[in-house]
Amino acid sequence: MQVFEKRSALKRCLSFIKEQNKQIGFVPTMGALHNGHLSLISTSKKNNHITVVSIFVNPTQFDNKEDLKKYPKTLEHDLSLLKTAGCDIVFIPTAEEIYDHQVVATSFSFNGLEDQMEGKFRKGHFDGVATIVQKFFNIISPTNSYFGEKDFQQLQIIKKLVQKNNIPVRIIGCPVFREKDGLAMSSRNIKLGKKERKAAPFIYQSLKKINQKLSETTIEETLLFVEGQFEKHPILNLEYIFIAEEKTLQTPKKLETSKKYRAFIAVNAGTVRLIDNISL
Ligand code: AMP
């Protein structure tokens, strides 16, 4: 496994690989790796000759400086996991290296995909995400790039970014990887206190409840019911609950059988913010 900190050295190595007509799979991450990340890497390995993983905690996608400061960092452990997983190349740039000393996000428009949920509650978040992902695509020029459905809004936004800017990369969404008790794996989970960790599977239970309730009643009634359950919850604070059509991320008046929908939840568990979603 080769580890690069400089983009010039990485580009040199990749151009040699591309001359041999090899397919490159790319998995961007912010580190503190877990089995969810490893599932993306394993899918990339199956479908490409070479798998590149980046580890970079991108400052421009954090609207909250405290959140950025306390984001978990476990680089040594990450590198050992990546080696065992058979990752070929790891890119770990500094902010100065990747941003050319100007650590700011570009402004994007994603046809309304960015207006709700993470885009609404974390101002500028998707400008930061798209800025960094576009930079990585420019440097790496991957054949395929892998994103988790855990961050479903992000996945749809990256698909739009690629489509609008004619970036020649295939974006592949991978299913949410969960703990045995249903909690979606996340780098932030290691920051949960005991009480919060015990309470956190309630998020997935609520998503499943939405699925069940929707077969019995309207979207509005369903949302009211689940919001009520969270109001009574002693530990989890609901930030949003949202039902949307997958492609547009707009809430429908009612569900149509010809379309696909998802339910989304964001909560604060103590000082840790958790998100999850489910296909309906
Ligand atoms: P992050 O390091 O949190 O930025 O995540 C890097 C990539 O891994 C993103 O595409 C995430 O959607 C994906 N990912 C994170 N957690 C999971 C999970 N539990 N299941 C599947 N993919 C995930």
Side-chain angles (χ1 to χ4, degrees):
M1 185 172 85
Q2 284 181 283
V3 181
F4 293 93
E5 289 171 18
K6 299 281 175 209
R7 54 186 170 175
S8 52
L10 172 65
K11 275 175 103 162
R12 261 199 307 280
C13 169
L14 289 172
S15 70
F16 181 68
I17 289 164
K18 279 173 206 151
E19 272 169 25
Q20 301 165 46
N21 271 330
K22 289 189 171 159
Q23 291 213 358
I24 296 171
F26 172 50
V27 183
T29 82
M30 297 208 297
L33 301 181
H34 50 69
N35 287 337
H37 296 115
L38 296 181
S39 72
L40 270 57
I41 293 164
S42 145
T43 309
S44 170
K45 276 187 66 66
K46 276 187 207 127
N47 297 299
N48 300 277
H49 299 102
I50 295 287
T51 290
V52 181
V53 174
S54 63
I55 299 178
F56 179 63
V57 183
N58 175 33
T60 66
Q61 71 188 66
F62 286 80
D63 61 338
N64 178 334
K65 291 269 165 304
E66 268 312 298
D67 193 24
L68 170 62
K69 226 163 63 191
K70 64 176 197 246
Y71 197 84
K73 291 180 190 73
T74 58
L75 185 60
E76 286 312 307
H77 185 241
D78 291 349
L79 292 175
S80 116
L81 283 178
L82 289 175
K83 205 165 172 191
T84 311
C87 169
D88 302 288
I89 293 174
V90 190
F91 184 37
I92 42 170
T94 60
E96 290 71 30
E97 174 69 15
I98 198 92
Y99 276 98
D100 279 328
H101 302 279
Q102 261 210 313
V103 189
V104 286
T106 311
S107 280
F108 290 87
S109 158
F110 298 107
N111 301 26
L113 291 176
E114 72 278 38
D115 291 345
Q116 345 56 10
M117 300 190 280
E118 297 304 283
K120 180 170 165 188
F121 284 88
R122 300 178 74 188
K123 285 281 167 234
H125 173 67
F126 287 120
D127 283 339
V129 169
T131 301
I132 194 66
V133 171
Q134 193 169 35
K135 281 179 185 293
F136 282 138
F137 285 168
N138 280 338
I139 297 167
I140 297 165
S141 301
T143 323
N144 300 300
S145 188
Y146 299 83
F147 290 82
E149 289 180 347
K150 157 84 170 29
D151 302 279
F152 193 83
Q153 190 177 16
Q154 169 176 281
L155 167 65
Q156 298 302 65
I157 279 178
I158 298 299
K159 283 185 179 166
K160 186 64 81 188
L161 171 79
V162 161
Q163 182 202 352
K164 278 184 115 173
N165 295 285
N166 294 316
I167 305 173
V169 54
R170 187 144 33 108
I171 304 302
I172 291 145
C174 303
V176 185
F177 224 74
R178 299 182 180 283
E179 301 287 355
K180 277 207 183 76
D181 59 12
L183 174 63
M185 288 190 184
S186 162
S187 303
R188 294 171 186 269
N189 291 354
I190 52 179
K191 297 273 180 179
L192 289 168
K194 250 201 185 133
K195 266 192 325 198
E196 287 78 16
R197 174 63 190 83
K198 209 166 156 209
F202 186 75
I203 302 167
Y204 184 50
Q205 286 158 18
S206 302
L207 286 167
K208 288 198 292 190
K209 191 79 193 168
I210 292 173
N211 218 353
Q212 182 205 325
K213 273 265 165 194
L214 279 173
S215 63
E216 300 160 5
T217 182
T218 62
I219 294 176
E220 272 135 59
E221 289 293 326
T222 301
L223 293 177
L224 280 176
F225 173 80
V226 179
E227 279 163 3
Q229 299 287 303
F230 273 102
E231 264 162 37
K232 285 187 256 161
H233 200 285
I235 290 165
L236 303 178
N237 276 314
L238 183 67
E239 189 173 73
Y240 65 74
I241 172 171
F242 202 72
I243 290 173
E245 196 262 320
E246 285 196 354
K247 281 216 177 89
T248 58
L249 297 183
Q250 300 299 316
T251 302
K253 291 223 162 53
K254 59 181 197 194
L255 306 186
E256 291 171 38
T257 46
S258 59
K259 292 188 175 154
K260 287 185 176 168
Y261 301 93
R262 274 187 185 249
F264 302 82
I265 285 181
V267 306
N268 285 298
T271 56
V272 182
R273 188 172 180 278
L274 300 172
I275 60 169
D276 197 357
N277 70 85
I278 194 174
S279 162
L280 299 173

